[in-house]
Each structure stands twice: as C-alpha cells, then as structure tokens.
Amino acid sequence: MRAYYFTEMPYPYYPPEVAQQLHSQRVILPNRYCDPKLASELYNRHLDEYEYADELGLDIMLNEHHQTVTCIDSVMPLTAATLARRTRRAKLLLLGNPLAHRDNPVRVAEEMAFLDCVTQGRLLCGFVRGVPTECHPANTNPTLTWERFEEAHDLIMHAWTADAPFNWEGKFWHYRYVNPWPRPYQQPHPPIWITGSTPGSVGWIADHQYTFACFLQPYEEQEALHRVYRERCRERGLPEPGPDKFAFLALVYVGETDAQAQEEGRALMWYLQAVWHPGFVNPPGYLPHEASARLYMGESRRGSGKSWEELNDVGIAIWGNPDTVIKKITYLYERCQVGHLMMMMQAGFMPTEHTRKSLKLFAEEVYPAIRELGEPRAARQQASA
C-alpha cells in the first residue's frame, strides 16, 4: 500500500457569517476577504509540509478548485512544478485535471509531459470531470461536462501516443495540428487515475483499466463501487483488478494516544462543514435525477452531519494512536482491497505542529506496518533483499 499526503490548501480566515448569509463558500464569496499576505503564508506553509512528507518517505497528492476558500490551490500544475524540483522521492499524484473545464486539452498534455520529464517519471496523472461547483467559475454547460471530459481524455491520450502531427475534428475541439513537445517520460504515458462516485463512471474507468479513486465514502459505498469495477472487468474479459487499481481518500490523523488524536484531529472536520449553495452544488443537468432527489432530501454520502467519532466508525476518517491506525488501515485493506491511501491530514485551522506530528508518527510507526499490504509476494521479497 502506498500513502499520499494531501491538503486542499484551505483559506479559513474569512468571516463565517458572510458565507452563512450568502449560503456559499464558493463562487460568490467576495475575494476582498482574501488577505494576500495571509495567502502567501499559507501557500508557503502548505508547500513546506509537502516537502516534509517527501522527506519522510511519503508520496504527495494535489488537486485544484476555483473561486473557493476551501481550496486556494487553483492552478495545480504550478504547484506540482514548484514541488517537482524540491522533492526527490515522492510520486506526485495530480488528482486532478478538470478536463471538462479546460479550454485546451493539448495544453494539458504538454503540462503533464513536462512534469513527467522534470520528475523523471514520478508523475501520476489524474483526470476528473470536475465537481458541480466548478461549472459556474468555468462557465461550462453542466449537461455537457461528461462529453467534454471524454473527448478531452481521448485527445490527450492520442497526443501522447502519436509519433507524428495529426489533426483533430471533434464535437468540442478542432485542431489543424497536434504535435506536442515533449513526449512523456513514462511510455506510452504516465499512469492514469480517475475519480468516480457512480456505477456508470466506475464502469468507464474499468474499461480503460485505470486506477479508480474514491473520496470520503463509507466502507459499504466503497465495496459497492469496487464490485462494479470487478464485475465490469469480468464482463469484458479484462484482468482481475488487484489493490493497485483502487485508491481511497480519508481524513487521517495520528496522535500519540487515541484521546489526543480524537481531540486534535477533530480540526479536519472543518472540511466537511462547508456551506453549500444548492444552485452551485447542483446545477441543472449535472447530476442524474435520482442523485438530485437525494440531495434535495438532505441525504449525503460524504459524512456531512456525522460526528468525528461516527466518521471513524464508518471509515471516512481514520484516527487514533499508531497501533489503532494500523488496525483501521488493515481493516480497510482487507474489506475494500485498497492499494493506495490518500490522506487529508490538514484542513481549516489545524496548526502546522499538529500536521507535522501526525505525519511523522504515520511515517515512522504506521507506514512500515502497512506498506506491504497488497504487494505481490515477489515484490515483497525483492524489497527485502
């Protein structure tokens, strides 16, 4: 099992009453509440913590969102480029490029190939459709986001694997010449990860044999989606997927004691206490009718309304002392066959000393005990030789 440190780089220093009045932390919360000096301090803190994760032997996950205080990492390739030369060992997982909202897929192919070359193959390239709250900032039609995602994906993959200029005439993009320089360092292309939360999207991921990444879902939801992946592989005659095809993002905090982790790790709850405006979180046409109905009925699949303790029970959060966390992760692996654990270990007002302490305890006391979970026996023997 590989472990990836992650933070959305939040900006928590805004008047919460304003967000309550607007019913939104995204899109329409005025940027006059952003102090550039505080943003500068936060960016450098977050980058320092990513470098610290690399020093500890962990991998790194990045993402991007726009016009929101929950994530001021709005240009993920720049963050990755910043870290590419400041880290030495970590895989850089970019999860991911919001293809439906990027105007130029060829530019995405160029950016990712550049990063792959600079890191000498440490790039893991994630593609995402983009959450509903990205439609308004990007000025995209929510009913077309999946079609745009698929065409952008196909164009990028062709750009990476073609060995000569070609033209592209699609529904959304038209190019006389596509001939990106450089080519990816990893041939034919970097490993691809895709996020998903519905059976339809998971089936598409399985068809392409990509790694499926599931975010903040309870055990039973993960199991159901993983079954879809496995059944699709059987239906199509594809190889039986191993743990390397399944990744999960959880809120993770390691303390010296269970009580300490319970108290200090609670700061991660800030991420789940976002103020959601229904017009932005469910633009017409983005969600299937059934999902829209569940949303308007107040149902949530990402832990909203649950306590820190309840989140730990259902697997959305993993916290405790090192021994407790080892048991929780082992249970996650045995139940859901997850081979990649993405760990949100910083959110909101959590102080850097707590983030670093949790990182260090995980790297030194937890990771050695769970690292071999899901590894083929030959790989384990080679690593120990």
Side-chain angles (χ1 to χ4, degrees):
M1 177 179 288
R2 299 193 71 106
Y4 304 75
Y5 170 66
F6 170 63
T7 175
E8 279 214 333
M9 297 191 180
Y11 183 95
Y13 306 109
Y14 64 94
E17 65 275 10
V18 176
Q20 292 292 340
Q21 292 168 2
L22 296 171
H23 303 290
S24 182
Q25 289 169 293
R26 297 175 181 251
V27 186
I28 57 175
L29 184 65
N31 64 5
R32 63 175 174 270
Y33 295 112
C34 177
D35 182 337
K37 292 182 179 179
L38 284 175
S40 173
E41 293 174 5
L42 283 171
Y43 279 129
N44 284 283
R45 172 205 163 166
H46 295 316
L47 291 169
D48 287 345
E49 289 170 357
Y50 272 124
E51 291 177 30
Y52 184 57
D54 174 63
E55 293 170 11
L56 291 171
L58 302 177
D59 293 318
I60 287 170
M61 173 189 159
L62 303 171
N63 76 338
E64 72 174 60
H65 287 294
H66 303 89
Q67 298 179 191
T68 175
V69 297
T70 61
C71 176
I72 56 172
D73 187 5
S74 55
V75 193
M76 180 186 62
L78 289 183
T79 310
T82 302
L83 292 169
R85 293 280 296 166
R86 297 280 294 181
T87 59
R88 288 292 176 264
R89 296 182 293 176
K91 296 281 188 181
L92 299 183
L93 167 60
L94 275 61
L95 197 61
N97 294 280
L99 297 187
H101 306 302
R102 293 293 295 269
D103 291 330
N104 188 344
V106 177
R107 177 60 182 262
V108 176
E110 293 171 331
E111 291 170 354
M112 296 302 103
F114 170 88
L115 288 168
D116 200 33
C117 286
V118 170
T119 61
Q120 296 183 318
R122 287 191 286 129
L123 177 71
L124 301 173
C125 184
F127 296 139
V128 300
R129 176 188 178 192
V131 297
T133 49
E134 298 299 321
C135 292
H136 287 84
N139 198 36
T140 49
N141 185 332
T143 65
L144 299 176
T145 52
W146 183 248
E147 288 183 79
R148 286 175 61 88
F149 172 88
E150 286 191 291
E151 184 179 332
H153 162 271
D154 293 348
L155 174 52
I156 291 168
M157 300 306 291
H158 193 39
W160 279 342
T161 54
D163 60 2
F166 64 90
N167 72 305
W168 184 269
E169 295 296 333
K171 179 176 179 178
F172 302 104
W173 288 283
H174 307 272
Y175 294 93
R176 291 193 181 99
Y177 297 98
V178 180
N179 185 32
W181 287 65
R183 299 169 65 214
Y185 186 89
Q186 301 173 85
Q187 287 293 305
H189 55 74
I192 306 299
W193 291 37
I194 308 286
T195 60
S197 60
T198 64
S201 61
V202 174
W204 186 93
I205 298 167
D207 289 345
H208 291 80
Q209 293 291 277
Y210 294 152
T211 296
F212 164 55
C214 181
F215 284 13
L216 299 174
Q217 300 282 15
Y219 296 121
E220 60 269 19
E221 295 289 348
Q222 290 185 65
E223 287 181 303
L225 293 171
H226 292 182
R227 280 197 299 271
V228 171
Y229 194 115
R230 292 191 177 94
E231 290 169 3
R232 185 64 160 250
C233 288
R234 285 193 287 270
E235 291 171 1
R236 300 294 174 91
L238 299 169
E240 177 70 18
D244 63 302
K245 295 298 185 184
F246 301 112
F248 177 59
L249 173 71
L251 307 176
V252 177
Y253 192 85
V254 188
E256 294 167 352
T257 66
D258 285 346
Q260 186 185 75
Q262 183 179 25
E263 180 61 29
E264 295 176 353
R266 199 182 302 275
L268 296 173
M269 293 280 290
W270 182 92
Y271 177 75
L272 298 178
Q273 295 167 349
V275 182
W276 297 99
H277 191 294
F280 298 130
V281 76
N282 187 22
Y286 181 91
L287 294 173
H289 299 314
E290 298 81 3
S292 292
R294 288 196 302 267
L295 184 67
Y296 284 121
M297 291 172 65
E299 296 181 18
S300 172
R301 300 169 64 191
R302 301 188 64 180
S304 179
K306 287 185 171 61
S307 69
W308 182 231
E309 292 73 21
E310 290 171 326
L311 293 173
N312 195 39
D313 292 337
V314 300
I316 293 175
I318 299 173
W319 55 263
N321 68 47
D323 288 338
T324 298
V325 172
I326 289 169
K327 292 175 183 175
K328 294 282 291 184
I329 294 174
T330 302
Y331 177 77
L332 170 68
Y333 168 75
E334 292 175 346
R335 181 166 177 178
C336 301
Q337 294 294 293
V338 169
H340 305 274
L341 178 62
M342 303 169 286
M343 307 181 298
M344 182 182 286
M345 302 180 78
Q346 191 284 325
F349 293 96
M350 178 175 284
T352 189
E353 57 266 26
H354 288 178
T355 300
R356 286 174 174 262
K357 177 176 66 176
S358 178
L359 272 166
K360 186 176 177 65
L361 285 169
F362 181 89
E364 294 182 352
E365 300 190 35
V366 177
Y367 208 14
I370 59 102
R371 183 69 186 263
E372 292 186 354
L373 292 176
E375 291 288 337
R377 181 175 298 177
R380 293 200 301 269
Q381 293 173 343
Q382 183 178 6
S384 61

